[in-house]
Amino acid sequence: MTDDQVGGWIDAAAAAERLGVKPATLYAYVSRGVLRRRHAPDGRRSLFDAAQVEELARRGRPRRPPGPGELAIESSITALGADRPYYRGRDVLGMAGSRTFEDVAAWLWTGDDGGDPGTWETRPDGVAAAVAAQSGLPAGILPLDRLQLIAVALAATDPLRHHLDPEGVIGTGRSLVAGLVEALPPAGGTAAEGRLAERLWSRLCPHPPEPDGLLRAFEGAMVLLADHELAASTVAARVAASVRADPYAVVASGLGVLSGPLHGGASYGAERLLAEVTDPASASRVLGERLRGGERIPGFGHGVYKSGDARAARLMELLTAAAPDHERLAAATAVLTEAERRRLPAPNVDFALAALGAVAGLVPGAGEALFAVARTAGWLAHALEEYARRVPLRPRAVYSGPPVP
């Protein structure tokens, strides 16, 4: 046994050399839970598990150490590229506009392509309970607020919600997503049938999708928003699943966090911004007044995609193909032009979602609801990973309060 090896443990210099990293990076790996560390018998050195170092060297070094407020969790579902996510290795931009939401959800859940997407139907008693639970809600309540109540009502009527094996969770997931949609009141008085995008459209828009390309853009938005790695709502969903909460509780956790204005609620801010732009000529005035008041312009900039969110570009592309001459698209384009002139950050998917709502004539808050229903697929994919892990997620705080004994 050499001086740098103690019973299967190696010192920092040897570990860093094997991994091809600086010694400081080793301690970042420790803080993320990637490497185990212990003190040498002499008390003066840190030792690292040699087998774990070797496994990490063969697998390849993990991505950059997490920044402030980030939590690292190993997952095989979604990777974030320079400007877009990849679902199990597949570019989301190629899936948007070419794949159904049901197909994409099945891909996220199982990684099985081309198989039977299953039956996406809910239990009638669950929908009836969810509809009844909404009877006392005030007029004008936004769809996302309804979805939080619907999730709880659906759970109360499902005796199989505690079946946490993969087949059980996937079956519950299909029923749950369908229930979220079908318990929403139809926007135009008539509930559509067919695939989920058509059903959700009829709950968020008072008229049929004309031209037909608008439904393609609508479903493309659902695909683009189905997952986004460890967004805040997904972390909440994974924490719930890690302690064996049922899929309805997982989704309820995600819905609560998604409503925040710095997450799924951001599309509502962008929606209100576009509503102020009554015609292309008013774009300069609306942005100028907001900036003069020190307000943040919603729908621009992204915490991950510093050079631009390609999901926004793809959704705007689908929207332009569907309704190239629409007056609300012209207004949205004027906002983009003015934002670029003022050197604002690039637009994100929340802005494109607001533009979709304006062109399609969706009800207020429709973007949040579309986001929430779509992201349910991702939350359940992450829940499946946590159910398989069987280890509660327990972040630790870096204590900065008064000294303790």
Side-chain angles (χ1 to χ4, degrees), residues 244-314:
R244 314 292 286 176
D246 67 70
Y248 294 93
V250 167
V251 170
S253 299
L255 286 170
V257 176
L258 186 86
S259 64
L262 299 184
H263 192 10
S267 68
Y268 186 55
E271 178 185 313
R272 295 175 66 188
L273 168 70
L274 273 182
E276 294 178 30
V277 182
T278 55
D279 57 72
S282 64
S284 179
R285 174 185 58 78
V286 171
L287 265 64
E289 288 178 353
R290 288 198 171 214
L291 290 170
R292 184 174 182 178
E295 297 180 48
R296 176 180 175 272
I297 305 299
F300 291 86
H302 196 283
V304 176
Y305 307 129
K306 303 301 185 183
S307 299
D309 184 349
R311 297 173 301 168
R314 177 58 177 151

Side-chain angles (χ1 to χ4, degrees), residues 27-392:
Y27 298 97
Y29 290 171
V30 170
S31 68
R32 295 172 58 183
V34 174
L35 283 180
R36 289 188 293 272
R37 179 186 66 160
R38 75 178 191 187
H39 293 293
D42 60 17
R44 297 193 299 269
R45 294 178 299 157
S46 291
L47 299 177
F48 301 85
D49 187 329
Q52 196 176 41
V53 169
E54 185 61 28
E55 179 184 357
L56 181 58
R58 288 196 302 267
R59 191 171 68 227
R61 72 181 67 174
R63 292 179 178 269
R64 63 169 177 78
E70 293 182 332
L71 174 68
I73 300 173
E74 187 170 314
S75 174
S76 63
I77 297 168
T78 297
L80 299 184
D83 63 354
R84 70 195 68 177
Y86 294 81
Y87 297 164
R88 296 192 183 276
R90 291 192 173 175
D91 187 343
V92 71
L93 302 191
M95 303 175 86
S98 65
R99 305 297 294 269
T100 68
F101 173 74
E102 290 91 331
D103 286 342
V104 171
W107 176 250
L108 287 169
W109 294 345
T110 69
D112 182 15
D113 191 26
D116 182 6
T119 302
W120 291 70
E121 301 294 341
T122 193
R123 298 169 63 252
D125 58 338
V127 172
V131 170
Q134 300 173 70
S135 62
L137 294 178
I141 190 170
L142 296 179
L144 182 57
D145 297 321
R146 291 181 178 275
L147 288 173
Q148 296 185 61
L149 183 58
I150 290 169
V152 175
L154 291 174
T157 60
D158 188 351
L160 302 180
R161 67 183 183 277
H162 297 296
H163 290 213
L164 303 185
D165 59 286
E167 184 177 354
V169 172
I170 291 171
T172 296
R174 295 190 190 112
S175 176
L176 195 167
V177 177
L180 289 174
V181 173
E182 293 179 20
L184 285 171
T190 303
E193 298 181 354
R195 65 183 190 272
L196 277 167
E198 296 174 275
R199 292 184 239 173
L200 183 59
W201 175 284
S202 71
R203 269 73 179 183
L204 300 179
C205 190
H207 53 75
E210 296 176 358
D212 292 342
L214 282 177
L215 181 60
R216 182 168 179 257
F218 185 92
E219 188 162 29
M222 295 178 70
V223 170
L224 291 168
L225 292 166
D227 193 52
H228 202 242
E229 197 225 43
L230 293 183
S233 59
T234 303
V235 172
R238 287 195 76 123
V239 170
S242 78
V243 294
R244 314 292 286 176
D246 67 70
Y248 294 93
V250 167
V251 170
S253 299
L255 286 170
V257 176
L258 186 86
S259 64
L262 299 184
H263 192 10
S267 68
Y268 186 55
E271 178 185 313
R272 295 175 66 188
L273 168 70
L274 273 182
E276 294 178 30
V277 182
T278 55
D279 57 72
S282 64
S284 179
R285 174 185 58 78
V286 171
L287 265 64
E289 288 178 353
R290 288 198 171 214
L291 290 170
R292 184 174 182 178
E295 297 180 48
R296 176 180 175 272
I297 305 299
F300 291 86
H302 196 283
V304 176
Y305 307 129
K306 303 301 185 183
S307 299
D309 184 349
R311 297 173 301 168
R314 177 58 177 151
L315 184 50
M316 291 300 293
E317 180 182 86
L318 291 171
L319 191 55
T320 301
D325 301 320
H326 199 285
E327 60 182 11
R328 299 309 297 153
L329 180 61
T333 302
V335 171
L336 293 176
T337 300
E338 183 64 20
E340 184 177 10
R341 187 178 76 84
R342 292 175 179 270
R343 299 183 180 179
L344 296 182
N348 58 41
V349 74
D350 296 310
F351 180 85
L353 194 54
L356 170 64
V359 172
L362 304 182
V363 300
E368 292 180 314
L370 185 156
F371 195 142
V373 171
R375 188 56 57 87
T376 299
W379 294 332
L380 293 174
H382 286 270
L384 283 162
E385 284 193 336
E386 287 301 328
Y387 290 145
R389 279 165 37 98
R390 296 179 175 271
V391 179

